[in-house]
Amino acid sequence: MDQFLVVALAHFLALLIPGVDFFLIVRTSAAHGWRSASGTCLGIALANGVFIAAAFSGLALVDSQNVLAWIELAGGLFLVYMGIVFWRARVSLAGKGDGAVGRSTWLKNLGLGTASGLLNPKNALFYVSLAATLSSASPALLALYGVWMFSIVLAWDLFVAVAMGSRRPRALLARVLPGIIKVAGIVVMLFGIGALAAAVGTLMR
């Protein structure tokens, strides 16, 4: 349970960091409303689901502890790097999501969200790195993590779509976002350091 809470916290805080997917949701919601943007949200969640399934199933096929340790070492280094990037990030929501972008349909937005998620290399790298830190988890637990992460991605994106449909919630998020990013950077960095320590311990046995 402790591992689940740590993984869930690290994943959720990383999810809060605005990126291409985030601003696509904001733009679509502001221009066409949250119902239309829900297609984008589902598409992004499906793309994340593909990466989660690929990363976790690939990890389950590796049966060498040393190979897993090296993968975990690489994943830990990437998470530490991500934590540093989060800590140093300067993000603004000013001007994002305003203006019309043309007639949009739910299915079109579903396609846009899926493409955005699949073409974002950070999604793939993050889930591979996260999976590498879970080398000791059972297949059943990995499946639970995967379902949880997919659900949280979808729930958070829908929340953003609903909230960003008006200026006031967007302005509030803009004020609290810098602090959220700092906290996320620290948590992800600590998670990476823990993975590095575990990998080094395995390799030195």
Side-chain angles (χ1 to χ4, degrees), residues 26 29 34 37 71 76 82 86 89 112 119 130 139 147-148 158 168 171 173 193 196 199-201:
V26 171
S29 181
W34 73 268
I71 295 174
M82 281 193 66
F86 290 173
L112 287 174
L119 295 175
L130 194 61
V147 172
W148 172 264
L158 286 172
R168 184 172 296 178
L173 183 60
I193 292 172
L196 289 175
V200 171

Side-chain angles (χ1 to χ4, degrees), residues 38 139 181 183:
S38 66
I181 292 177
V183 173

